[in-house]
C-alpha cells in the first residue's frame, strides 16, 4: 500500500517575506525608472545653495567664515545632506500614500496582498528610508566638491558607527512622520503643509548654522528642538565636522532613536486604522 505524504503549504512567514521582497522590488524599479528626474529634483536646491554661498560669494569677496571660524562651506555640508534626506524620505511616503488613500481602490489593491496591513505599512516606510539614503548619497558629493578655490569644506568621519546610526534613525524618523501626516491630513492640504511647515522647518533646522550658535537667543535655541530636522543635522555635524561645536551626542541620539520608534509605532497604527476603516 502506497502512503501519500501531503505536501506542506508554504509557511505564512515565508509568504509574507516573499511578498514583502516583491513590493520592495517593485518600488526599486519605479525609483530606477524615474532616477534621473528624481536626482535632478533632489540635487538642484543644495547645488544652488553651495554654488552661491561657497563659490559665488567667495569669488566676489563676500564669503565669510561660519560659526567658530570654520568655512561656511564646512558648516553647510551636514545640514544640506541631512535636510535633503529628511525631505526626500518624508515626500517619498507622504505624496504617494495620499494619492493611494484618496484614489479609488488604489490602497485596497495593496491591502489584498497576502501580508498584514502592518507589514504593508512597514514596507512603505522602508522604501522611503531607502530613497532618503539615496538622496544623501546624491547630495554629499555636490556639497563637497562645489566651492571656490581655497574654500573647500573640511570634512572627516569621526565615528562611523554613530554616522550609520544617525543616517538610519533619521531616515526612519522622517519616513514615519511622512506616513503619519499622510494618514491624518486632508489631501487638499498636503501641499500647503509642505509650503508653510517644511520651508520654515528647513530654515530653522540648523542647516546653515550649528545649534550651539543659537546660545545668544535662548528662546529660539529651545524652540527649534521641536524640529526633528535639527537632530539629524546636528548628528551629521558631530560626525562629519567634529571641529564645529554641535549638540551633545546623547541628545541627538536619544531624540532620533526615541523619535524613530515612537513615530514609527504611531504611523503604523494610524496607517492600519486608515486602511481598515
Amino acid at each position: 500500500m502506497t502512503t501519500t505524504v501531503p505536501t506542506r503549504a508554504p509557511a505564512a512567514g515565508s509568504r509574507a517575506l516573499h511578498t514583502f521582497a516583491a513590493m520592495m522590488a517593485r518600488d526599486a524599479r519605479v525609483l530606477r525608472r524615474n532616477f534621473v528626474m528624481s536626482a535632478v529634483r533632489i540635487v538642484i536646491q543644495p547645488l544652488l545653495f553651495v554654488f552661491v554661498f561657497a563659490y559665488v560669494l567667495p569669488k566676489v569677496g563676500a564669503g565669510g567664515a561660519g560659526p567658530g571660524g570654520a568655512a561656511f562651506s564646512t558648516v553647510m555640508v551636514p545640514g544640506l545632506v541631512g535636510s535633503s534626506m529628511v525631505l526626500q524620505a518624508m515626500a517619498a511616503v507622504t505624496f504617494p500614500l495620499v494619492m493611494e488613500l484618496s484614489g479609488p481602490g488604489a490602497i485596497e489593491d495593496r491591502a489584498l496582498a497576502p501580508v498584514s496591513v502592518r507589514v504593508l505599512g512597514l514596507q512603505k516606510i522602508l522604501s522611503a528610508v531607502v530613497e532618503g539614503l539615496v538622496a544623501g548619497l546624491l547630495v554629499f558629493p555636490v556639497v563637497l566638491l562645489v566651492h571656490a578655490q581655497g574654500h573647500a569644506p573640511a570634512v572627516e568621519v569621526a565615528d562611523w558607527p554613530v554616522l550609520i546610526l544617525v543616517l538610519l534613525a533619521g531616515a526612519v524618523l522622517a519616513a514615519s512622520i511622512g506616513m503619519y501626516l499622510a494618514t491624518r491630513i486632508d489631501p487638499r492640504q498636503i501641499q500647503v503643509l509642505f509650503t508653510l511647515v517644511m520651508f520654515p522647518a528647513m530654515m530653522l533646522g540648523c542647516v546653515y548654522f550649528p545649534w550651539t550658535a543659537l546660545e545668544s537667543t535662548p528662546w529660539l535655541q529651545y524652540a527649534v528642538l521641536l524640529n526633528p530636522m535639527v537632530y539629524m543635522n546636528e548628528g551629521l555635524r558631530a560626525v562629519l565636522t567634529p571641529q564645529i561645536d554641535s549638540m551633545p551626542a546623547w541628545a541627538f541620539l536619544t531624540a532620533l532613536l526615541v523619535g524613530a520608534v515612537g513615530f514609527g509605532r504611531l504611523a503604523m497604527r494610524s496607517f492600519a486604522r486608515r486602511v481598515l476603516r
Side-chain angles (χ1 to χ4, degrees):
M1 180 177 178
T2 304
T3 303
T4 304
V5 179
T7 304
R8 292 185 61 187
S14 177
R15 285 200 309 271
L17 184 60
H18 179 76
T19 304
F20 185 88
M23 290 189 293
M24 288 298 298
R26 175 191 176 278
D27 287 348
R29 285 195 297 271
V30 173
L31 177 62
R32 187 169 63 248
R33 188 181 307 138
N34 303 322
F35 183 77
V36 174
M37 288 305 299
S38 297
V40 172
R41 177 176 51 79
I42 290 168
V43 167
I44 189 65
Q45 185 174 348
L47 175 60
L48 290 175
F49 271 110
V50 294
F51 181 72
V52 171
F53 289 103
Y55 183 82
V56 175
L57 291 184
K59 285 287 187 180
V60 300
F72 195 55
S73 58
T74 302
V75 177
M76 287 194 301
V77 168
L80 290 176
V81 172
S83 61
S84 298
M85 287 186 60
V86 169
L87 293 176
Q88 180 59 26
M90 288 185 65
V93 68
T94 302
F95 291 118
L97 185 54
V98 164
M99 289 189 292
E100 290 180 355
L101 291 173
S102 57
I107 195 66
E108 286 80 358
D109 291 343
R110 289 268 189 133
L112 291 175
V115 291
S116 69
V117 173
R118 290 187 178 274
V119 172
L120 179 60
L122 179 62
Q123 185 272 328
K124 288 186 173 295
I125 289 178
L126 182 57
S127 181
V129 167
V130 172
E131 291 199 37
L133 294 174
V134 170
L137 291 175
L138 289 173
V139 170
F140 184 72
V142 171
V143 297
L144 196 64
L145 299 176
V146 178
H147 56 80
Q149 186 174 2
H151 289 265
V155 176
E156 61 173 312
V157 179
D159 194 321
W160 277 102
V162 174
L163 173 61
I164 294 171
L165 186 59
V166 168
L167 291 174
L168 293 177
V172 171
L173 174 58
S176 299
I177 293 175
M179 172 175 280
Y180 181 74
L181 292 176
T183 58
R184 303 293 294 183
I185 292 182
D186 188 323
R188 294 168 295 183
Q189 298 175 344
I190 199 68
Q191 289 287 358
V192 176
L193 171 76
F194 269 75
T195 302
L196 298 183
V197 176
M198 295 312 300
F199 181 72
M202 184 173 178
M203 297 305 296
L204 296 174
C206 296
V207 176
Y208 314 107
F209 51 84
W211 181 74
T212 54
L214 295 175
E215 289 177 348
S216 59
T217 315
W219 70 268
L220 183 59
Q221 187 178 38
Y222 289 104
V224 298
L225 294 178
L226 297 174
N227 185 353
M229 195 178 291
V230 168
Y231 304 104
M232 178 71 161
N233 295 336
E234 284 296 289
L236 291 178
R237 186 165 284 121
V239 294
L240 294 178
T241 57
Q243 70 273 26
I244 299 177
D245 288 338
S246 59
M247 183 181 290
W250 67 264
F252 64 73
L253 286 176
T254 300
L256 289 174
L257 292 173
V258 173
V261 173
F263 266 102
R265 292 173 62 88
L266 193 64
M268 295 286 284
R269 191 180 306 122
S270 180
F271 176 77
R273 277 202 304 263
R274 183 70 184 273
V275 172
L276 296 176
R277 75 179 183 181

